[in-house]
Amino acid sequence: MRAVTEVSITPGDRHRLEAIVGNRNSPQKHAARAQAPIATALGLGTNEIMGRSGLSKPAVWRGHVFMGEGVDRLVRDKTRKPGQAPLPSATIARLSRL
């Protein structure tokens, strides 16, 4: 059995997380990520959070990124390399002359 993780959230962070969840214009993924640390701070376990929110276990764990990196990281997605390499500048120059 896993050890219980205790989370404490500052009042300012809690206010920001609840604002993200309550704002109907927030992206769904941000609202879902913000629910996990709030629920964990209330003493709910991963299975309970999954049942109440409909999130998957990895999504709940991703929401716990907040504990280490803060609210700003919670709503900022990491960038990834594009699927295709960008065109070389010589090709772009040649095509722009057409």
Side-chain angles (χ1 to χ4, degrees):
M1 186 169 182
R2 288 184 88 149
V4 176
T5 304
E6 194 168 314
V7 177
S8 60
I9 298 176
T10 64
D13 285 343
R14 184 180 185 96
H15 178 71
R16 288 179 65 193
L17 290 169
E18 288 175 347
I20 292 168
V21 172
N23 184 354
R24 294 180 59 186
N25 292 324
S26 292
Q28 286 182 345
K29 64 183 174 182
H30 294 169
R33 288 179 196 162
Q35 287 176 0
I38 293 171
T40 303
L42 293 173
L44 301 178
T46 303
N47 288 330
E48 183 72 19
I49 296 169
M50 288 169 35
R52 288 184 179 198
S53 65
L55 297 173
S56 66
K57 190 177 281 190
V60 171
W61 290 341
R62 269 185 240 117
H64 291 130
V65 166
F66 161 79
M67 291 185 287
E69 301 183 37
V71 177
D72 293 331
R73 173 59 186 99
L74 192 71
V75 296
R76 188 189 72 231
D77 294 325
K78 289 189 174 181
T79 59
R80 298 182 192 141
K81 289 184 176 180
Q84 295 178 335
L87 291 174
S89 57
T91 305
I92 294 172
R94 189 183 63 204
L95 291 173
S96 64
R97 282 185 258 145
L98 294 177

